[in-house]
Amino acid sequence: APAPAPAHAPAPAHAPAHTPTENAAPAAPSPTPSKASSSSRAGSSTGEVAEEFLTPMRQSSHLDQHTARIRNTCAFIQDCGIRLKLPQLTIATAITFFHRFYKLHSFEAYDRTITALVCLFLAGKVEESPKKLRDVVLCGYNCRYRKQLSENSKEYKEWREKVLLQERVVLQTIGFDLNIEHPYQHIINYVKAMRGNRKLAQIAWNFVNDSLRTTLMLRYNSTTIACTALFLAAKFLRIDLPTNWERIMRISYKDLDDTVAEILDLYESSPRISEMKQQSQALARKAQEESRGAGATHNGSHPPPGAPAKSPPTPA
């Protein structure tokens, strides 16, 4: 099992290292993590947005064993992916494969280090950024044990064979369904529709990266996760969203409240985290009250407050 590196509090930061100027036109953020998170090691207490909050990710000692294993292994996949110079999209696909596999299997039945390497190897082929199996195995071993592995060693041959054998099991488990829709493009589309700037898109992008350590992608569609990330980014930057933002992004207030709580639970408690949770809960309560009041008189021509719209806008 991937061993976590020593926890450390992140250094204060006010914006991602590669965030452009606030007046720049919205565009797709770099597909690689920020410098702060790129230097993080598997199991590190920092995440994409943790430095922005001046608070670390929650330590494994504060989590139940199953959740700690999931988050540590996701960090392991992220770390290996960075070392292999894989695009963030490929890393996200690998982590999604990992979550889908362990939704149906136990950690006791299948070694999660080998499974993680299988998911990276498979994601590279799916997202057209393939890496040689040799490179994946050597990198994974180095990330796991912090030492080099010789290609001529017996252990290398054993790891290589395990990855090849388990690749079949992973493919069968996920039903050979290799098509994954990630939230990243939705973020860009929504930011353009709202005439937001690239900084908003970048912070939302980073929230999505951190959310990969949860199982949200198994329970919510990519548009819902994108909307939640944008809501959190706006609250983090203390900027107002358009008055009709929930209709533009087609998300119910209940889903927003649930997903916000789960993402913010990744971080250690702080006044800023508590403030954002309270804002989400207040919005959900207000929407419930408005829905009850509008329910009796609603004529069906418009959806009640907080209800998803029938179709998303087409961004310019």
Side-chain angles (χ1 to χ4, degrees):
H8 61 279
H14 299 289
H18 57 291
T19 298
T21 58
E22 192 163 343
N23 294 324
S30 168
T32 56
S34 62
K35 290 181 181 179
S37 61
S38 295
S39 63
S40 301
R41 293 293 175 251
S44 168
S45 62
T46 58
E48 290 283 332
V49 193
E51 294 202 1
E52 299 290 333
F53 284 123
L54 309 185
T55 184
M57 300 283 270
R58 293 182 66 190
Q59 298 180 25
S60 299
S61 58
H62 299 163
L63 305 169
D64 64 83
Q65 188 180 52
H66 181 77
T67 302
R69 286 176 172 177
I70 288 177
R71 294 188 185 178
N72 285 344
T73 313
C74 289
F76 173 78
I77 294 173
Q78 181 80 30
D79 187 41
C80 288
I82 291 170
R83 291 178 183 228
L84 289 167
K85 298 182 180 179
L86 288 170
Q88 180 60 33
L89 190 68
T90 303
I91 296 172
T93 296
I95 293 176
T96 303
F97 287 159
F98 168 80
H99 284 304
R100 288 170 61 186
F101 181 82
Y102 281 107
K103 181 182 179 181
L104 300 175
H105 294 291
S106 69
F107 290 125
E108 289 72 27
Y110 293 94
D111 185 292
R112 56 198 170 102
T113 302
I114 297 298
T115 303
L117 298 184
V118 169
C119 292
L120 271 172
F121 183 56
L122 186 59
K125 292 187 283 187
V126 170
E127 301 296 348
E128 299 182 355
S129 52
K131 293 294 180 181
K132 293 180 180 179
L133 178 58
R134 176 199 64 198
D135 295 335
V136 173
V137 170
L138 293 177
C139 179
Y141 187 90
N142 179 257
C143 287
R144 173 66 179 84
Y145 295 108
R146 300 292 186 264
K147 62 182 181 180
Q148 301 298 322
L149 179 65
S150 171
E151 289 184 60
N152 300 319
S153 67
K154 179 181 178 182
E155 195 167 9
Y156 166 78
K157 294 176 182 177
E158 289 176 349
W159 273 52
R160 185 180 183 279
E161 185 64 20
K162 287 179 181 178
V163 170
L164 288 173
L165 290 174
Q166 195 156 325
E167 183 181 19
R168 302 174 192 173
V169 181
V170 171
L171 284 168
Q172 290 172 350
T173 299
I174 65 177
F176 294 88
D177 180 8
L178 305 175
N179 296 318
I180 296 176
E181 184 180 280
H182 293 292
Y184 301 111
Q185 187 57 49
H186 294 302
I187 287 176
I188 303 307
N189 292 342
Y190 288 141
V191 170
K192 286 180 179 179
M194 296 185 299
R195 298 185 179 182
N197 57 36
R198 192 175 177 185
K199 187 172 184 179
L200 176 65
Q202 183 65 72
I203 298 296
W205 185 283
N206 289 347
F207 270 116
V208 169
N209 288 348
D210 281 0
S211 76
L212 292 171
R213 302 191 189 197
T214 73
T215 57
L216 283 176
M217 79 287 291
L218 301 183
R219 292 173 283 119
Y220 297 92
N221 59 39
S222 58
T223 56
T224 297
I225 296 173
C227 294
T228 300
L230 273 171
F231 174 83
L232 287 170
K235 294 305 177 185
F236 169 75
L237 294 171
R238 291 193 168 95
I239 62 176
D240 294 328
L241 290 168
T243 54
N244 63 337
W245 70 270
E246 76 284 353
R247 297 180 191 274
I248 292 176
M249 296 192 285
R250 299 195 306 159
I251 185 171
S252 72
Y253 288 122
K254 183 182 185 307
D255 284 349
L256 177 69
D257 187 38
D258 292 343
T259 50
V260 162
E262 190 159 346
I263 290 177
L264 291 183
D265 191 54
L266 287 166
Y267 314 104
E268 291 287 1
S269 180
S270 72
R272 190 72 180 278
I273 296 292
S274 300
E275 175 190 345
M276 294 173 73
K277 283 183 179 180
Q278 289 169 3
Q279 289 172 334
S280 171
Q281 292 166 357
L283 200 60
R285 286 194 299 270
K286 180 181 177 182
Q288 274 187 333
E289 293 169 1
E290 290 178 352
S291 295
R292 290 195 201 100
T297 58
H298 179 54
N299 59 14
S301 59
H302 299 285
K310 291 183 179 179
S311 60
T314 302

